[in-house]
Amino acid sequence: MAVDLQQADASSVLEARRIHNQKLARQHDQTRATWFPLVVLGVLLALPLLQLTGNYNYLLHLVLFTASYAVMASGWNIIGGFAGYISLGHAVFFAIGGYFSGVLLARYGISSLLTAPLAGLVAAICGYLVGLITLKVRGPSFIISSIALLMIARILFDHWGFIGGANGMSLPVTDLPVQTAKLPYYYAFVLMAAFTVWATYRIKHSKFGLGLRALSKDEVKAESAGINTRFYKVLAFALSAFFVGMSGAVWGEYLTYLRPNIFLIILVSANLVLMCILGGKGTIAGPVVGAILIVAFNEIFVATLGASEINILATGFVMVLGLMFFPNGVIGTLARKGKLPRVLNWD
Amino acid sequence: MTDILQILILGLALGGVIALMGSGLSLVFGVMRIVNLAHPSLIICGAYVSYWAFKLWGLDPIATLPIAALIMAAIGVLLYRLMFESQAKSARYSEMTVLLTFALAMIVEGFLGAAFTNTQRVTSPEYATDAFFIGSLFIPKGQLYAGCVSLAIIGALTLFLNYSRLGYAIRATTQNREAAELLGVNVNLISMIAFAIGIGLAGAAGSLVSFVFSFFPAKQWEWIAMLMSVVVLGGMGSVLGTVVAALLLSVIAAFVGAWVGATWSTMTFFLALFVILLIRPQGLFGEKPELA
Amino acid sequence: MSELLQVTNITAGYGDGPAILDGARLTVEPGKVHCIIGPNGAGKSTLLKAICGMLTIRKGDVVFKGERLNGLRPDQILRKGICFVPQERALFPKMTVRENLRMGGYVLDDTKLRDRRIDEILERFPVLRERADQHAGTMSGGQQQTLAMARTLIVKPDIVMLDEPSLGLAPKVVQEMFDIMKMMSQEGVTVLLVEQNALMGLKNSDWGVVLDLGRTLFEGPAEAVLADPRIQELYLGGRKVA
Ligand SMILES: Nc1ncnc2c1ncn2[C@@H]1O[C@H](COP(=O)(O)OP(=O)(O)OP(=O)(O)O)[C@@H](O)[C@H]1O
Ligand SMILES: [Mg+2]
């Protein structure tokens, strides 16, 4: 379509310019496949039927584990993916959720499955308050502040006698028979994951989500376009804390004990970031895909190598490789190349 | 009164070491806009160099400081080449590099943990447990030596940055990378040199740290937050600011430790970070908030 | 042919993004003033950045004095004799005017020569002499642009590329910038100018280049460009264009 000015008239230059601009603006004309996540959910809900034919507890554990991470990574995605604020301190909300419900369970015998939404709310309120302070800065300073948050929380939890300090506290063990013992947690996590995916989808496509994406690109411009950026990002932070806290609550009861050196470690936060990046930050399916990849990867490594040092080493290594060679994650990279299979396009 | 003086002295000596720990971080941020979360883990690497040199051959950690610095600087060149050079043109540079250094920190921790286990180590030359007494004041020799060596190294660094041609190029790159490039500075080379110097400083700090603090691979997370609060207070990228902030915070931490409790002494740094972000996000010496 | 710089059908873009330039060409003849015009986003700045080595050239050639410049770093290209003043002027805000000039001579190994040329420049630009010890960031836009242009003279380049020197300046100050440019040209420096105000740019130039959609649509003597009805219609405001 070479336009030669010597022959062409002005309107054909204008037409060429329009086509040119269109080519530069990347297109997202792919259609969504809503049925796919629904089918997956159906399969997962029916999966425990396998228990009738034998002991599939390990499989259930894996799915449950993945679902719990999918909840948290999708939650993290709200602030980290949509709003562009990378937080390495989300383990704090995991711990807040876990401890809040854990205390209720240990003292009053109320199951965490019931109090999980409340735990999420508590985490969200904490997130809101913390966000008011730390979200004043962006970029590297914010990342640093999120690490500091984790360190502060760790010292507080380690020295707070009421929740057992560094030794943590143990929670009552379920008295269900071994065949069904995992089921309540299994369903809790699978349903939470489904809810989270749906919620992040709704958030992304709301006016709020649009505002978040605008401020992640350019905060000053978003502000001048009339977006209350401060409120938006603090709310996003609180929302992401909500999901992480909720997951922490159920996880605590499932694990039957709470301890700072399990809940309040940077590896938990790192995993969330890693999942979103490997899967595709800012996409809906990305965190879920990332969670599946990381859990599978972890299982292989733990099975073959054991030691937690090696695990840290391997996590770091995968993260470097992922960042360097797939900076946009699986979903992001495929979408950019226009090769994203329809079943994975949940955006 | 002597009490207060005593705490002040201890705080200042430690502050000197922390300043050295933070200066490399600050330099790397200033020139390359990389928040190097792996810095503390590389300090710990340096500490292991001096630790093993002492343990195996009885070499004094201050004497092995140049060796640790050189080894780490060489590793710095390698890391720059492998990980950061290719990021220079990335559209999400600051985010990508932070995450890369974070991953690097995990790799180093995992590696050191696998190689040397997570037991607490400390190098114990004689002076580490010795002290000078002036009246009723006591000054631990180890901390005093470490503080003085640190400040000497930082002094040399400052002279280098302000008066050498290379230092000039480094400062120009810090202020306006694109402009420096257009005026004929090979910014990639300058970045590599600055990065190597920064990591070399981490190695040097590691030698001193090895007999001032006890260390183990996972200790890095505590130090990250501590050093970051120093660097943020000092106004990201200003070496002088880092020194002042390190001295200030570690004196405050010493008082908190003496009067409130040892646990809360490390907490000082983390809380300080929050307070700074709340009231003066650009730090003491920064001119505008860091909105990367 | 007596061209100094020859750019043939280059393709370039930012990072791994789409090709912003695709088929841009340019002929620069010694001693003349060349003006590139085109709408916002046409790729004018991108073209200058590609020439000076800030962007990798994916296809095509940049040949300067018979030598290919593709793949060289900006500092190497500067040493060859091509100097670039970008749209955002590239000063060191926290260095004084004198220090900025000194940085301008960074590639000169002879510091005596450098200092002599700095003195010459301060002599010729009283605005700068008066503010020699003031921080560059605290000067007015016009003064900053003067500094950025004057700074190029320290290395005595063959070609100076100016990206919108008039940007954000009052009309009277804009004329001063064009005067400086003319003076540079009279001293034998070849000028390659990007100008948003096409009319004014072309009137002050010998050679005109029309860049649009990332490629060169027309190249010729400035008067010919000014006279062409289609160019008038599209780029000189002969008719309202979207
Ligand atoms: N740093 C960058 N990274 C990615 N794309 C860029 C960058 N700078 C410019 N672009 C894109 O390149 C295209 C051309 O931009 P360029 O700055 O070259 O235009 P221009 O002709 O100089 O316009 P103006 O008159 O507005 O300065 C635009 O579509 C722009 O979006
Ligand atoms: Mg431009």
Side-chain angles (χ1 to χ4, degrees):
Chain A
M1 45 151 256
V3 177
D4 189 350
L5 202 73
Q6 311 304 326
Q7 287 122 45
D9 62 358
S11 64
S12 71
V13 174
L14 288 181
E15 175 62 14
R17 188 183 297 166
R18 198 184 56 76
I19 294 169
H20 177 79
N21 288 341
Q22 224 167 46
K23 207 171 62 189
L24 285 183
R26 226 168 259 115
Q27 290 165 11
H28 296 280
D29 58 352
Q30 289 211 324
T31 41
R32 224 175 305 121
T34 335
W35 60 268
F36 184 72
L38 289 176
V39 168
V40 172
L41 179 63
V43 170
L44 290 182
L45 289 179
L47 196 66
L49 289 175
L50 281 176
Q51 289 291 67
L52 297 174
T53 65
N55 187 336
Y56 287 89
N57 269 343
Y58 178 64
L59 177 67
L60 293 187
H61 168 78
L62 279 188
V63 175
L64 166 168
F65 192 39
T66 311
S68 82
Y69 263 128
V71 172
M72 294 199 282
S74 296
W76 185 91
N77 199 26
I78 298 172
I79 184 75
F82 299 167
Y85 277 78
I86 309 280
S87 161
L88 287 172
H90 264 52
V92 171
F93 305 117
F94 186 55
I96 288 174
Y99 272 81
F100 178 80
S101 283
V103 167
L104 288 181
L105 175 64
R107 307 266 150 158
Y108 308 105
I110 312 172
S111 168
S112 300
L113 298 179
L114 301 175
T115 57
L118 204 57
L121 204 61
V122 172
I125 292 169
C126 294
Y128 192 88
L129 296 177
V130 170
L132 283 178
I133 301 175
T134 59
L135 288 162
K136 286 180 103 177
V137 289
R138 293 194 57 90
S141 300
F142 175 76
I143 302 183
I144 297 164
S145 75
S146 71
I147 297 178
L149 174 69
L150 183 61
M151 302 311 298
I152 292 176
R154 179 67 184 269
I155 294 180
L156 289 177
F157 276 65
D158 269 348
H159 293 89
W160 191 3
F162 178 70
I163 53 171
N167 295 324
M169 49 199 281
S170 44
L171 302 176
V173 180
T174 170
D175 44 18
L176 290 171
V178 71
Q179 279 298 83
T180 51
K182 285 193 190 301
L183 290 190
Y185 311 105
Y186 177 87
Y187 280 113
F189 276 125
V190 168
L191 290 175
M192 273 193 319
F195 171 68
T196 313
V197 169
W198 174 79
T200 49
Y201 172 80
R202 291 308 300 260
I203 289 171
K204 183 168 179 179
H205 290 272
S206 65
K207 197 172 145 238
F208 173 60
L210 191 66
L212 290 182
R213 278 183 286 158
L215 77 85
S216 85
K217 293 278 184 316
D218 188 329
E219 200 149 338
V220 180
K221 278 190 199 139
E223 181 85 49
S224 59
I227 295 170
N228 184 348
T229 52
R230 188 158 158 71
F231 176 69
Y232 269 43
K233 57 194 184 181
V234 175
L235 188 61
F237 197 61
L239 276 171
S240 80
F242 172 81
F243 293 106
V244 176
M246 203 163 67
S247 180
V250 180
W251 191 250
E253 185 177 321
Y254 177 66
L255 208 61
T256 71
Y257 56 88
L258 302 166
R259 206 182 292 149
N261 69 0
I262 291 177
F263 278 76
L264 271 175
I265 48 174
I266 202 140
L267 198 59
V268 172
S269 309
N271 271 331
L272 304 188
V273 182
L274 188 53
M275 286 167 185
C276 285
I277 290 188
L278 279 186
K281 214 159 58 82
T283 64
I284 303 297
V288 180
V289 172
I292 296 170
L293 288 177
I294 293 297
V295 170
F297 171 80
N298 260 342
E299 283 311 303
I300 294 166
F301 260 94
V302 171
T304 53
L305 295 167
S308 72
E309 271 80 25
I310 301 286
N311 206 345
I312 296 178
L313 181 79
T315 309
F317 214 68
V318 173
M319 197 158 168
V320 168
L321 294 181
L323 284 168
M324 292 191 61
F325 300 108
F326 301 98
N328 300 308
V330 174
I331 303 289
T333 307
L334 288 178
R336 272 183 175 225
K337 292 194 173 147
K339 286 188 190 146
L340 185 63
R342 278 193 61 206
V343 292
L344 283 178
N345 183 16
W346 303 356
D347 286 275
Chain B
M1 188 55 217
T2 45
D3 245 19
I4 294 183
L5 204 60
Q6 178 70 62
I7 298 169
L8 191 68
I9 290 171
L10 293 180
L12 284 176
L14 271 191
V17 182
I18 294 173
L20 183 62
M21 291 165 79
S23 59
L25 194 59
S26 199
L27 183 69
V28 167
F29 180 79
V31 178
M32 301 170 64
R33 303 281 127 181
I34 291 180
V35 175
N36 185 8
L37 296 180
H39 197 78
S41 71
L42 297 168
I43 291 178
I44 292 174
C45 281
Y48 272 106
V49 171
S50 284
Y51 173 82
W52 286 114
F54 180 80
K55 182 115 181 175
L56 297 178
W57 304 299
L59 294 175
D60 186 286
I62 294 182
T64 52
L65 181 144
I67 301 172
L70 281 178
I71 293 178
M72 294 316 292
I75 291 179
V77 171
L78 204 68
L79 289 175
Y80 179 80
R81 274 285 151 96
L82 286 177
M83 289 171 72
F84 300 107
E85 194 169 22
S86 57
Q87 296 299 321
K89 295 211 162 69
S90 161
R92 297 181 301 157
Y93 177 78
S94 81
E95 175 194 322
M96 290 295 290
T97 52
V98 178
L99 291 172
L100 276 175
T101 63
F102 177 75
L104 177 62
M106 291 181 44
I107 292 179
V108 175
E109 179 186 340
F111 173 75
L112 292 177
F116 306 128
T117 74
N118 253 324
T119 40
Q120 302 232 7
R121 314 270 180 173
V122 63
T123 316
S124 44
E126 270 160 36
Y127 51 78
T129 47
D130 204 356
F132 291 114
F133 289 89
I134 306 173
S136 59
L137 287 180
F138 91 104
I139 309 172
K141 283 186 183 171
Q143 296 188 11
L144 181 70
Y145 292 172
C148 291
V149 172
S150 293
L151 293 179
I153 295 176
I154 293 172
L157 175 69
T158 316
L159 287 180
F160 164 74
L161 286 179
N162 282 323
Y163 295 106
S164 72
R165 183 179 147 97
L166 195 57
Y168 216 84
I170 290 179
R171 276 193 304 139
T173 309
T174 308
Q175 280 192 32
N176 188 340
R177 189 181 174 90
E178 188 167 289
E181 183 170 31
L182 288 175
L183 295 180
V185 178
N186 182 348
V187 289
N188 190 26
L189 184 67
I190 293 294
S191 296
M192 189 177 84
I193 292 172
F195 193 75
I197 294 176
I199 306 304
L201 288 171
S207 295
L208 301 178
V209 160
S210 78
F211 60 88
V212 174
F213 304 115
S214 66
F215 62 92
F216 53 95
K219 181 111 176 187
Q220 57 157 328
W221 303 112
E222 200 178 296
W223 284 349
I224 284 182
M226 179 178 91
L227 295 183
M228 287 302 172
S229 72
V230 167
V231 173
V232 170
L233 177 61
M236 305 289 276
S238 148
V239 172
L240 178 70
T242 305
V243 175
V244 175
L247 294 176
L248 188 70
L249 284 182
S250 82
V251 166
I252 296 176
F255 279 103
V256 171
W259 291 345
V260 187
T263 327
W264 304 102
S265 147
T266 31
M267 191 81 153
T268 314
F269 289 95
F270 312 149
L271 283 178
L273 185 58
F274 269 77
V275 175
I276 302 157
L277 292 180
L278 192 63
I279 57 179
R280 198 178 153 81
Q282 70 272 43
L284 285 181
F285 297 89
E287 273 167 16
K288 61 173 199 282
E290 177 52 43
L291 285 175
Chain C
M1 288 294 272
S2 62
E3 78 274 348
L4 184 60
L5 176 75
Q6 179 82 53
V7 176
T8 36
N9 292 327
I10 59 167
T11 304
Y14 294 86
D16 56 359
I20 304 292
L21 291 180
D22 194 357
R25 63 193 154 73
L26 187 64
T27 311
V28 173
E29 288 179 20
K32 289 190 178 165
V33 177
H34 307 70
C35 181
I36 305 176
I37 63 166
N40 290 114
K44 305 183 297 293
S45 303
T46 308
L47 176 58
L48 297 194
K49 286 182 199 166
I51 294 175
C52 83
M54 289 167 75
L55 298 175
T56 31
I57 293 165
R58 298 173 191 171
K59 250 190 271 165
D61 287 315
V62 176
V63 178
F64 176 62
K65 291 184 183 167
E67 188 186 354
R68 254 178 111 228
L69 297 186
N70 296 35
L72 294 188
R73 291 189 310 266
D75 57 298
Q76 294 169 319
I77 290 177
L78 175 71
R79 277 170 219 265
K80 302 256 181 250
I82 301 180
C83 212
F84 175 41
V85 180
Q87 218 163 314
E88 47 292 333
R89 289 166 194 158
L91 298 177
F92 301 100
K94 281 193 262 176
M95 288 188 182
T96 63
V97 168
R98 193 185 292 276
E99 283 178 307
N100 265 283
L101 291 172
R102 225 175 263 161
M103 274 312 293
Y106 181 81
V107 289
L108 297 179
D109 293 320
D110 181 351
T111 51
K112 286 220 186 73
L113 176 71
R114 183 194 70 190
D115 290 342
R116 210 168 46 238
R117 287 192 185 163
I118 290 177
D119 289 339
E120 272 170 36
I121 285 170
L122 289 176
E123 207 48 46
R124 270 166 56 186
F125 297 92
V127 224
L128 300 182
R129 194 180 52 220
E130 286 154 18
R131 293 171 180 75
D133 296 312
Q134 189 180 331
H135 276 196
T138 62
M139 297 199 302
S140 77
Q143 291 159 357
Q144 292 194 15
Q145 184 64 43
T146 308
L147 173 58
M149 285 164 72
R151 195 174 57 179
T152 61
L153 297 176
I154 297 173
V155 290
K156 297 225 188 279
D158 296 306
I159 300 182
V160 169
M161 303 193 293
L162 303 170
D163 196 351
E164 302 199 30
S166 63
L167 191 74
L169 302 181
K172 183 170 157 289
V173 187
V174 171
Q175 194 49 57
E176 282 173 29
M177 296 308 128
F178 277 109
D179 292 343
I180 295 177
M181 194 184 77
K182 262 197 201 123
M183 188 190 74
M184 288 161 91
S185 166
Q186 273 152 19
E187 282 171 24
V189 179
T190 306
V191 177
L192 182 53
L193 170 75
V194 162
E195 187 48 64
Q196 203 40 251
N197 182 344
L199 203 58
M200 176 132 188
L202 288 172
K203 278 188 179 152
N204 285 287
S205 314
D206 308 307
W207 190 259
V209 179
V210 181
L211 194 75
D212 198 352
L213 319 174
R215 63 208 147 92
T216 305
L217 292 188
F218 187 82
E219 202 179 2
E223 306 86 57
V225 176
L226 272 172
D228 189 298
R230 277 162 303 214
I231 291 176
Q232 277 188 355
E233 187 177 343
L234 277 164
Y235 307 108
L236 298 175
R239 192 189 72 180
K240 273 270 173 284
V241 173

